[in-house]
Amino acid sequence: MKNFLLLAMLFITALGYGQAKDKVSIFNRKYEIKIGAVKLLAGPILEGTYEYIYSKDFTFGSSILLSLDSTDYYNEEFSVTPFARFYFQETKEYGAQGFFVEGFAKYFSGKYDQYNLFGGAPKEFSSAALGIGLGKKWINSSGFVFETLVGVGRTLGGADNKPDAVFRGDLSIGYRF
């Protein structure tokens, strides 16, 4: 009888503890993953982004871009883009959503011909760039994220066979967990 009571008490305690846990609010989650939708549909260019929510108005992360077709006219075939974002919204209770300003660094490689973009023989290059972007992020209560971003950067170094400026932008869809 004592063993039965002990097992019953353990079961009731475990059941009560399991119900006492609160579900973590979507706005308290710290990680996001996103896929660039426009580049994927128009490219085919796959750009994946990871973002860590450090505080309600500051995040940082990185994007990786891979061109899935080397014969397209997009001059980047691979890039890694670490970034930091500062969010500006009137209400801070949700955090890491709304209007943001982004500073980014980019390492990228591909093929480029500065004199004839749509013909000739483009030369391979690899370069780095620094830039700034603007965007806006929306998040729903399920954790799905929609983001718009547009930015521009200046390439570093003096090689002739690289673009002078880089574009950063897309409409991204993702999930916060």
Side-chain angles (χ1 to χ4, degrees):
M1 183 72 173
K2 287 182 183 179
N3 288 339
F4 176 74
L5 286 175
L6 181 62
L7 286 173
M9 290 300 282
L10 285 174
F11 180 72
I12 291 170
T13 304
L15 190 64
Y17 179 73
Q19 291 177 353
K21 286 185 179 179
D22 289 332
K23 190 175 181 181
V24 176
S25 169
I26 193 65
F27 302 111
N28 291 331
R29 297 180 186 177
K30 297 286 184 186
Y31 312 100
E32 286 182 7
I33 54 172
K34 297 176 281 249
I35 297 288
V38 173
K39 287 180 184 170
L40 186 60
L41 293 174
I45 299 166
L46 178 64
E47 184 172 24
T49 301
Y50 166 79
E51 187 172 355
Y52 176 74
I53 294 123
Y54 182 76
S55 70
K56 293 182 180 190
D57 53 2
F58 177 73
T59 66
F60 57 88
S62 184
S63 295
I64 296 178
L65 179 137
L66 294 170
S67 178
L68 303 175
D69 182 10
S70 62
T71 61
D72 66 359
Y73 296 113
Y74 194 70
N75 57 19
E76 287 181 33
E77 292 181 351
F78 171 78
S79 72
V80 177
T81 310
F83 60 85
R85 292 180 177 171
F86 297 93
Y87 288 84
F88 300 94
Q89 63 262 11
E90 293 180 16
T91 59
K92 300 282 186 183
E93 67 263 17
Y94 299 122
Q97 75 169 5
F99 175 73
F100 63 85
V101 174
E102 171 185 280
F104 67 89
K106 182 179 224 176
Y107 170 77
F108 61 110
S109 63
K111 294 178 183 173
Y112 181 73
D113 181 5
Q114 87 182 74
Y115 301 109
N116 189 359
L117 289 176
F118 299 106
K123 297 178 184 176
E124 291 188 7
F125 74 92
S126 62
S127 186
L130 294 174
I132 191 165
L134 301 171
K136 187 154 184 178
K137 183 191 298 184
W138 296 268
I139 182 168
N140 72 3
S141 60
S142 299
F144 289 99
V145 175
F146 179 74
E147 173 183 294
T148 62
L149 170 68
V150 63
V152 66
R154 179 81 173 166
T155 55
L156 306 172
D160 287 337
N161 65 328
K162 65 171 180 42
D164 292 331
V166 294
F167 170 75
R168 175 163 162 76
D170 212 337
L171 300 175
S172 298
I173 299 169
Y175 186 73
R176 185 180 286 189
F177 58 99

